[in-house]
PDB file of all heavy atoms in Angstrom:
ATOM      1  N   GLY A  71     164.522 124.095  70.926  1.00 69.00           N
ATOM      2  CA  GLY A  71     164.806 122.857  70.125  1.00 69.00           C
ATOM      3  C   GLY A  71     163.588 122.162  69.615  1.00 69.00           C
ATOM      4  O   GLY A  71     163.648 121.484  68.596  1.00 69.00           O
ATOM      5  N   SER A  72     162.496 122.238  70.375  1.00 77.00           N
ATOM      6  CA  SER A  72     161.391 121.310  70.043  1.00 77.00           C
ATOM      7  C   SER A  72     160.861 121.491  68.677  1.00 77.00           C
ATOM      8  O   SER A  72     160.579 120.530  67.956  1.00 77.00           O
ATOM      9  CB  SER A  72     160.320 121.495  71.082  1.00 77.00           C
ATOM     10  OG  SER A  72     159.578 122.592  70.781  1.00 77.00           O
ATOM     11  N   LEU A  73     160.654 122.720  68.227  1.00 84.00           N
ATOM     12  CA  LEU A  73     160.164 122.990  66.884  1.00 84.00           C
ATOM     13  C   LEU A  73     161.149 122.503  65.855  1.00 84.00           C
ATOM     14  O   LEU A  73     160.733 121.876  64.839  1.00 84.00           O
ATOM     15  CB  LEU A  73     159.910 124.457  66.699  1.00 84.00           C
ATOM     16  CG  LEU A  73     158.538 124.768  66.278  1.00 84.00           C
ATOM     17  CD1 LEU A  73     158.354 126.283  65.976  1.00 84.00           C
ATOM     18  CD2 LEU A  73     157.972 123.968  65.127  1.00 84.00           C
ATOM     19  N   LYS A  74     162.413 122.809  66.066  1.00 85.00           N
ATOM     20  CA  LYS A  74     163.418 122.501  65.103  1.00 85.00           C
ATOM     21  C   LYS A  74     163.485 120.981  64.934  1.00 85.00           C
ATOM     22  O   LYS A  74     163.571 120.431  63.797  1.00 85.00           O
ATOM     23  CB  LYS A  74     164.800 123.065  65.593  1.00 85.00           C
ATOM     24  CG  LYS A  74     165.915 122.722  64.660  1.00 85.00           C
ATOM     25  CD  LYS A  74     167.173 123.321  65.031  1.00 85.00           C
ATOM     26  CE  LYS A  74     168.401 122.909  64.112  1.00 85.00           C
ATOM     27  NZ  LYS A  74     168.153 123.078  62.673  1.00 85.00           N
ATOM     28  N   VAL A  75     163.407 120.211  66.033  1.00 86.00           N
ATOM     29  CA  VAL A  75     163.478 118.793  66.018  1.00 86.00           C
ATOM     30  C   VAL A  75     162.313 118.214  65.292  1.00 86.00           C
ATOM     31  O   VAL A  75     162.362 117.304  64.512  1.00 86.00           O
ATOM     32  CB  VAL A  75     163.607 118.269  67.462  1.00 86.00           C
ATOM     33  CG1 VAL A  75     162.619 117.139  67.668  1.00 86.00           C
ATOM     34  CG2 VAL A  75     165.041 117.767  67.679  1.00 86.00           C
ATOM     35  N   ALA A  76     161.156 118.863  65.510  1.00 88.00           N
ATOM     36  CA  ALA A  76     159.912 118.391  64.808  1.00 88.00           C
ATOM     37  C   ALA A  76     160.024 118.582  63.356  1.00 88.00           C
ATOM     38  O   ALA A  76     159.438 117.719  62.606  1.00 88.00           O
ATOM     39  CB  ALA A  76     158.694 119.113  65.446  1.00 88.00           C
ATOM     40  N   LEU A  77     160.667 119.555  62.848  1.00 92.00           N
ATOM     41  CA  LEU A  77     160.742 119.863  61.443  1.00 92.00           C
ATOM     42  C   LEU A  77     161.946 119.520  60.684  1.00 92.00           C
ATOM     43  O   LEU A  77     161.889 119.068  59.535  1.00 92.00           O
ATOM     44  CB  LEU A  77     160.486 121.444  61.291  1.00 92.00           C
ATOM     45  CG  LEU A  77     159.073 121.902  61.656  1.00 92.00           C
ATOM     46  CD1 LEU A  77     159.066 123.396  61.665  1.00 92.00           C
ATOM     47  CD2 LEU A  77     158.100 121.305  60.767  1.00 92.00           C
ATOM     48  N   ASP A  78     163.068 119.623  61.317  1.00 94.00           N
ATOM     49  CA  ASP A  78     164.313 119.499  60.647  1.00 94.00           C
ATOM     50  C   ASP A  78     164.677 118.025  60.615  1.00 94.00           C
ATOM     51  O   ASP A  78     165.184 117.405  61.608  1.00 94.00           O
ATOM     52  CB  ASP A  78     165.379 120.297  61.346  1.00 94.00           C
ATOM     53  CG  ASP A  78     166.727 120.274  60.583  1.00 94.00           C
ATOM     54  OD1 ASP A  78     166.834 119.406  59.673  1.00 94.00           O
ATOM     55  OD2 ASP A  78     167.615 121.165  60.777  1.00 94.00           O
ATOM     56  N   ASP A  79     164.547 117.350  59.439  1.00 96.00           N
ATOM     57  CA  ASP A  79     164.905 115.973  59.257  1.00 96.00           C
ATOM     58  C   ASP A  79     166.364 115.731  58.879  1.00 96.00           C
ATOM     59  O   ASP A  79     166.802 114.579  58.883  1.00 96.00           O
ATOM     60  CB  ASP A  79     163.968 115.302  58.221  1.00 96.00           C
ATOM     61  CG  ASP A  79     162.514 115.300  58.700  1.00 96.00           C
ATOM     62  OD1 ASP A  79     162.287 115.092  59.860  1.00 96.00           O
ATOM     63  OD2 ASP A  79     161.604 115.635  57.900  1.00 96.00           O
ATOM     64  N   GLU A  80     166.980 116.828  58.667  1.00 95.00           N
ATOM     65  CA  GLU A  80     168.422 116.715  58.147  1.00 95.00           C
ATOM     66  C   GLU A  80     169.401 116.729  59.432  1.00 95.00           C
ATOM     67  O   GLU A  80     170.285 115.996  59.466  1.00 95.00           O
ATOM     68  CB  GLU A  80     168.773 117.833  57.249  1.00 95.00           C
ATOM     69  CG  GLU A  80     170.226 117.845  56.798  1.00 95.00           C
ATOM     70  CD  GLU A  80     170.592 116.506  56.139  1.00 95.00           C
ATOM     71  OE1 GLU A  80     169.744 115.965  55.340  1.00 95.00           O
ATOM     72  OE2 GLU A  80     171.722 115.952  56.398  1.00 95.00           O
ATOM     73  N   ALA A  81     169.088 117.573  60.317  1.00 93.00           N
ATOM     74  CA  ALA A  81     169.925 117.755  61.549  1.00 93.00           C
ATOM     75  C   ALA A  81     169.957 116.367  62.349  1.00 93.00           C
ATOM     76  O   ALA A  81     169.013 115.676  62.364  1.00 93.00           O
ATOM     77  CB  ALA A  81     169.495 118.870  62.382  1.00 93.00           C
ATOM     78  N   PHE A  82     171.087 116.048  62.935  1.00 94.00           N
ATOM     79  CA  PHE A  82     171.251 114.882  63.729  1.00 94.00           C
ATOM     80  C   PHE A  82     170.434 115.098  65.100  1.00 94.00           C
ATOM     81  O   PHE A  82     170.641 116.056  65.783  1.00 94.00           O
ATOM     82  CB  PHE A  82     172.695 114.549  63.970  1.00 94.00           C
ATOM     83  CG  PHE A  82     172.858 113.426  64.941  1.00 94.00           C
ATOM     84  CD1 PHE A  82     172.352 112.139  64.602  1.00 94.00           C
ATOM     85  CD2 PHE A  82     173.487 113.536  66.157  1.00 94.00           C
ATOM     86  CE1 PHE A  82     172.462 111.053  65.511  1.00 94.00           C
ATOM     87  CE2 PHE A  82     173.704 112.548  67.026  1.00 94.00           C
ATOM     88  CZ  PHE A  82     173.164 111.216  66.654  1.00 94.00           C
ATOM     89  N   ASP A  83     169.671 114.133  65.427  1.00 94.00           N
ATOM     90  CA  ASP A  83     168.861 114.135  66.589  1.00 94.00           C
ATOM     91  C   ASP A  83     169.181 112.920  67.461  1.00 94.00           C
ATOM     92  O   ASP A  83     168.647 111.852  67.169  1.00 94.00           O
ATOM     93  CB  ASP A  83     167.351 114.198  66.279  1.00 94.00           C
ATOM     94  CG  ASP A  83     166.460 114.075  67.518  1.00 94.00           C
ATOM     95  OD1 ASP A  83     166.951 114.338  68.578  1.00 94.00           O
ATOM     96  OD2 ASP A  83     165.314 113.625  67.285  1.00 94.00           O
ATOM     97  N   PRO A  84     169.974 113.087  68.448  1.00 95.00           N
ATOM     98  CA  PRO A  84     170.313 111.934  69.288  1.00 95.00           C
ATOM     99  C   PRO A  84     169.194 111.116  69.924  1.00 95.00           C
ATOM    100  O   PRO A  84     169.167 109.958  69.942  1.00 95.00           O
ATOM    101  CB  PRO A  84     171.250 112.531  70.422  1.00 95.00           C
ATOM    102  CG  PRO A  84     171.311 113.980  70.123  1.00 95.00           C
ATOM    103  CD  PRO A  84     170.586 114.304  68.879  1.00 95.00           C
TER     104      PRO A  84
END
Side-chain angles (χ1 to χ4, degrees):
Chain A
S72 78
L73 235 189
K74 179 173 174 57
V75 132
L77 292 172
D78 189 346
D79 295 320
E80 179 56 41
F82 174 61
D83 170 26

